[in-house]
Amino acid sequence: LRSALRRMLNLPKNSEVCYLYSSTDNGGAGLNDLRDEYSIQSIVQAFRLLNSKGFHTKQIISDSLCFTAASRLNVDFADLSSALTWLTTGNNKGNILSKKSWWFRVKRAIGYLEKNHNFSIFFEILQNSIAIRITSNIRGTCILTSVHRNICSKVLHTAVEDSYFNKWQNSKLSNFITDTVISSQLNKIIFRGDIGNFAWNFIHRARTNTIPVNARPMNKNPESRLCRRCQSTAETLSHAIQSCNSIKTLSRQRHDACLKLICDYISSPNLIIVIDRTCPKLLDSRERVDLRITDVEKKIIYLIDMKCPIDSKFNFERTDKDNLEKYSSLKSKIQLAKPDFRVELFTCMIGSLGSIPQSSLDIFKLLGLSDFKIRSLARKCSISNIEYSAKLWNFHATGNLISFY
């Protein structure tokens, strides 16, 4: 499955495995590891049987667990409490598909998940029922009782997905952090038919950091890590599609394409929209934002500056902070000139690789867009930025421009 998915996404053989197994909500490919699935279903089935509504079924299962525990502990009898302790503690090494008793396989499954995903699972007696306690470094402790039988599988799947995402995020090969973005669910909202083959291959390579930039981790030679165009700094993906002097014109085109999409969606008779112009008689020519929107009915002036930073939580937060500081004086001057209006300053960010932070979607909602239009606008902006970034990389690497239309 891993090989087939890598071929389908045109990823190299050394691409990050955790990207393939991370959920689509976290920006991954959403592939299920069959070993994880076997372990989860074994634990879920044990949890359901121990909390069975049928008295005889519950008694048979409890007796079976106690008998297995007693035989493994070399004692004549083991009560349910000690049997549950044996099930979730002790030596769990070995093949989870061992041909021994079924409870021994459950024990192996618990050990496999704890070892590979860094969270702990304990069965315990709680209020005349069997509860399962799942402790994760990411989400903390979750206790499920008999009334939670139907969500046990979902909780375990979420814990495993979080573990893969955490490994992917901390990997040396990854520079794409998606814990605060919505449209990095690209596998859900963007399909292969929406973008060209080159852009489709580019985005998955970019999100696994396997684009052949000079400053890739395996290149240790300082001289050969320099940008092939400007020769001034290390050639990272961020530099190649974001800050290199050779792509400034194309980078501006990417920015303007998203800005045009936003203007087309938010146009309304109640809104006066001014694009990339200074306020007359008020400001220095350098002090201007991309959008100045005046809502005459609500008496609000929205100052919105559009940015396309590289996709990561840190970059989004830094860009937003820097922008608010940069235009704070502009906001104050307009407020003094228009005392009857309330002035609001925002930073609208569309990631270079298609991610959109929740704060940008909140801006669209504030401007009166419906949920359907917000999703449609986010999808189109993501596609636009992916295609332009793929074009930027191709131009940076080869000097040739490609067209997707």
Side-chain angles (χ1 to χ4, degrees), residues 94-199:
N95 185 1
I96 61 172
L97 300 178
S98 172
K99 295 182 179 180
K100 298 183 180 180
S101 98
W102 183 75
W103 284 110
F104 197 74
R105 296 186 186 183
V106 174
K107 180 179 175 68
R108 301 280 194 186
I110 293 172
Y112 174 81
L113 291 183
E114 289 180 341
K115 178 182 178 182
N116 289 276
H117 298 294
N118 200 24
F119 61 87
S120 57
I121 301 172
F122 293 98
F123 284 96
E124 56 189 32
I125 301 175
L126 185 65
Q127 298 178 352
N128 297 323
S129 67
I130 307 300
I132 182 172
R133 182 191 299 270
I134 304 169
T135 303
S136 169
N137 293 337
I138 301 172
R139 293 185 180 262
T141 301
C142 176
I143 300 177
L144 305 178
T145 61
S146 57
V147 298
H148 302 118
R149 286 192 301 269
N150 295 331
I151 67 170
C152 181
S153 176
K154 182 178 180 180
V155 172
L156 287 171
H157 276 108
T158 302
V160 170
E161 290 167 358
D162 288 342
S163 171
Y164 277 122
F165 175 66
N166 190 49
K167 293 176 183 177
W168 173 31
Q169 180 176 315
N170 295 325
S171 169
K172 294 180 180 180
L173 293 177
S174 176
N175 65 349
F176 188 68
I177 305 173
T178 58
D179 48 347
T180 62
V181 298
I182 179 172
S183 289
S184 57
Q185 303 178 26
L186 298 174
N187 308 81
K188 284 187 173 181
I189 66 171
I190 294 178
F191 302 96
R192 184 157 191 166
D194 295 329
I195 56 180
N197 288 337
F198 183 83

Side-chain angles (χ1 to χ4, degrees), residues 252-290:
R252 184 67 189 180
Q253 290 177 8
R254 177 179 60 194
H255 170 278
D256 292 345
C258 274
L259 188 62
K260 184 179 183 302
L261 284 170
I262 293 172
C263 291
D264 291 343
Y265 268 79
I266 64 176
S267 59
S268 170
N270 299 326
L271 300 178
I272 302 174
I273 302 175
V274 179
I275 303 174
D276 196 22
R277 293 181 187 172
T278 59
C279 298
K281 300 180 182 180
L282 289 178
L283 309 171
D284 183 88
S285 60
R286 295 182 180 179
E287 286 189 285
R288 58 185 183 183
V289 292
D290 291 315

Side-chain angles (χ1 to χ4, degrees), residues 221-241:
N221 186 354
E223 294 182 358
S224 62
R225 291 171 63 88
L226 292 176
C227 174
R228 68 192 75 186
R229 290 289 173 185
C230 63
Q231 295 291 320
S232 61
T233 186
E235 186 186 79
T236 62
L237 179 61
S238 175
H239 174 80
I241 66 173

Side-chain angles (χ1 to χ4, degrees), residues 198-206 211 237 353 386 389-390 393:
F198 183 83
W200 175 264
N201 296 336
F202 166 81
I203 184 58
H204 291 291
R205 280 182 169 251
I211 297 289
L237 179 61
L353 301 179
I386 290 171
S389 294
W393 164 248

Side-chain angles (χ1 to χ4, degrees), residues 202 237-244 247-262 290 306-311 350-354 380-393 405:
F202 166 81
L237 179 61
S238 175
H239 174 80
I241 66 173
Q242 197 72 30
S243 56
C244 184
I247 51 93
K248 288 297 183 183
T249 302
L250 284 175
S251 179
R252 184 67 189 180
Q253 290 177 8
R254 177 179 60 194
H255 170 278
D256 292 345
C258 274
L259 188 62
K260 184 179 183 302
L261 284 170
I262 293 172
D290 291 315
M306 171 80 187
K307 295 293 183 184
C308 297
I310 198 71
D311 303 49
I350 313 292
S352 300
L353 301 179
K380 288 185 177 181
C381 287
S382 294
I383 293 174
S384 175
N385 268 16
I386 290 171
E387 291 192 332
Y388 267 101
S389 294
K391 186 184 295 186
L392 282 166
W393 164 248
Y405 305 103

